[in-house]
Amino acid sequence: MNLDNLKFDSLQVHAGELDDQFGSATVPIYQTSTFRFRDAEAGRRLFMGEEQGYIYTRIGNPTIRALEQAIAALEHGHDGVAFSSGMAAVNAVYLAFLAHGKHVVCSASVYGPSRTVLEKYYTQFGVEATFVHTSDLEAVRGAMRDNTALVYIETPANPTMEVTDIEAVAQIAHEYGAVLAVDNTFATPYLQNPLLLGADIVLHSVTKYINGHADIVGGIVVTKDEQTYKAVRSVMVSFGGNMDPHQAYMTLRGVKTLSLRVEKAQQNAMKIARFLEQHPKVEWVKYPGLESHPQYELIKKQMRGPGAMISFELKGGIEAGKTLMDNVKLIILAVSLGGVESLIQHPASMTHAGMSREARLKADITDGLVRLSVGIEDVDDLIADLEQALAKC
Ligand code: LCS
């Protein structure tokens, strides 16, 4: 089917459809590790790239391919590569563009392991990394070097909700001949398309909004062109970390309702952010939908909606935060985000515990910061839950 003129709500349902032999309305699960060759010559031709087809599931599989094409369509990209996890996707981007003697500029506030893997492992292989507040364009420019090969940003960032100007950073990166990769997990392709703003690569932990039901872990990279796509696919094929067909099927099932879930969750989040902002026990709230967000004007320009992630700190600091997390009943105390159920967690002791306290504070990840992933429950029930728990803080 020609997808070119379809709007987002149609694309999320139909992109990636397969023309299978029985006319299946959904993408079948090709639960196979390998594919029979027609004959020896066909096997040779497939390996030489002289013929298109499937060889072995790490290299490619129709169910996984359907997901890759679906997300590539939603991100307005050239093509996609799916991974076993978001971290496998992050590392494929690092491995494709970093090497001994190369330098990466990374947002100071990113998902903890996306940063600590650079500090802990890539430095061992002679890669240099600089972490800056990428919302500060002068800081980005100041960090660039002749050997900067990659600029890696998250916007909005986990967990500070710091927002980076993708278009401006793309320009800086390209002036230095570097590639810009954007982790778009928090925004989703429904609210933001980094490739349309000049990024070279967009990636997701599909564990979050894209799958949306807190029942699988997965990742995907979408590229703007064939060369970049080939570089990322080659890493996936060489290092492994491929997605599994069942994971791909679950993710395809989840993505069909992405816009509906994000719309409802962000409506809830807006009301919750306003509720928190006026609550006497709350010190501050960081939410892209609030006028008080430092990059509010940029958010309106760059995103089609504020999303459903909120960071806030209580006046009682971390002790009050712990009391809150221990007393919510409907909201689940758990890491991860972007599912239909609301989740609350404490980055300094959980998702970002691998960072030094000094690095955390420099990245604005304060000891008392609490992160809330707002789900699609009834907003009055969510506010009532927060209200009863805040009363104990
Ligand atoms: N990128 C972002 C922005 C993330 O939030 C995560 C995971 C990843 C990449 C890695 O993806 P994964 O391998 O887990 O699929 N974020 C998590 C979080 O905030 N809590 O638990 C996991």
Side-chain angles (χ1 to χ4, degrees), residues 85-87 111 154 158 183 205 207-208 218 335-337 351 371:
S85 70
M87 281 317 298
Y111 173 55
E154 249 184 44
N158 186 354
D183 186 329
S205 164
T207 316
K208 314 295 166 16
V335 295
S336 201
L337 59 108
T351 48
R371 193 190 73 185

Side-chain angles (χ1 to χ4, degrees), residues 21-332:
Q21 68 188 117
F22 300 113
S24 168
T26 59
V27 174
I29 309 176
Y30 285 87
Q31 195 71 50
T32 181
S33 58
T34 197
F35 296 83
R36 187 194 300 264
F37 301 137
R38 223 172 32 252
D39 53 34
E41 173 57 12
R44 187 198 67 79
R45 288 173 60 80
L46 283 164
F47 268 95
M48 295 311 289
E50 294 168 11
E51 187 179 317
Q52 290 298 304
Y54 293 100
I55 298 172
Y56 181 64
T57 280
R58 173 163 46 74
I59 301 171
N61 172 290
T63 316
I64 301 169
R65 202 67 200 115
L67 177 69
E68 291 170 341
Q69 285 171 341
I71 308 302
L74 295 180
E75 282 289 12
H76 302 276
H78 168 71
D79 210 337
V81 186
F83 292 89
S84 57
S85 70
M87 281 317 298
V90 171
N91 278 292
V93 171
Y94 291 165
L95 286 165
F97 299 100
L98 297 173
H100 190 273
K102 298 287 184 193
H103 173 241
V104 53
V105 174
C106 179
S107 301
S109 173
V110 288
Y111 173 55
S114 300
R115 174 180 171 144
T116 50
V117 75
L118 287 171
E119 293 170 316
K120 188 170 170 192
Y121 294 104
Y122 288 81
T123 51
Q124 288 180 24
F125 300 106
V127 171
E128 294 172 303
T130 306
F131 302 94
V132 292
H133 284 280
T134 47
S135 60
D136 178 350
L137 297 176
E138 283 319 301
V140 175
R141 192 174 283 286
M144 297 298 290
R145 301 185 196 160
D146 291 342
N147 63 340
T148 305
L150 176 68
V151 178
Y152 182 92
I153 63 174
E154 249 184 44
T155 179
N158 186 354
T160 58
M161 307 309 295
E162 181 173 341
V163 170
T164 296
D165 187 332
I166 298 170
E167 207 166 2
V169 170
Q171 243 173 40
I172 299 172
H174 295 157
E175 268 174 47
Y176 284 79
V179 164
L180 173 64
V182 181
D183 186 329
N184 201 28
T185 300
F186 271 37
T188 83
Y190 178 58
L191 299 179
Q192 176 171 276
N193 294 120
L195 298 178
L196 297 182
L197 298 169
D200 303 286
I201 290 172
V202 58
L203 63 129
H204 291 270
S205 164
V206 304
T207 316
K208 314 295 166 16
Y209 290 99
I210 288 183
N211 176 62
H213 294 76
D215 49 11
I216 61 108
V217 167
I220 198 153
V221 173
V222 176
T223 68
K224 69 154 193 219
D225 62 21
E226 177 71 9
Q227 194 190 349
T228 320
Y229 165 73
K230 277 194 171 145
V232 175
R233 180 163 290 280
S234 167
V235 170
M236 189 279 284
V237 171
S238 305
F239 285 77
N242 59 284
M243 190 176 259
D244 174 84
H246 187 257
Q247 254 175 314
Y249 172 84
M250 296 290 279
T251 310
L252 278 163
R253 179 176 150 129
V255 78
K256 288 176 198 284
T257 55
L258 177 63
S259 65
L260 283 73
R261 289 183 281 102
V262 172
E263 279 294 345
K264 168 75 174 166
Q266 75 178 357
Q267 274 172 29
N268 285 354
M270 193 69 228
K271 289 187 185 155
I272 291 171
R274 290 213 189 285
F275 160 79
L276 289 171
E277 202 172 38
Q278 56 72 44
H279 197 283
K281 292 195 176 163
V282 174
E283 180 73 30
W284 53 258
V285 181
K286 212 57 175 320
Y287 176 62
L290 292 177
E291 296 79 358
S292 58
H293 191 292
Q295 288 99 34
Y296 186 64
E297 290 307 315
L298 170 62
I299 290 161
K300 282 200 292 186
K301 190 179 87 165
Q302 178 165 287
M303 297 176 70
R304 292 182 287 271
M309 295 299 298
I310 303 174
S311 286
F312 61 99
E313 182 153 336
L314 300 181
K315 289 195 174 134
I318 183 54
E319 283 314 312
K322 278 186 186 160
T323 308
L324 176 79
M325 289 184 285
D326 286 341
N327 283 282
V328 284
K329 295 188 170 80
L330 179 62
I331 299 168
I332 301 170

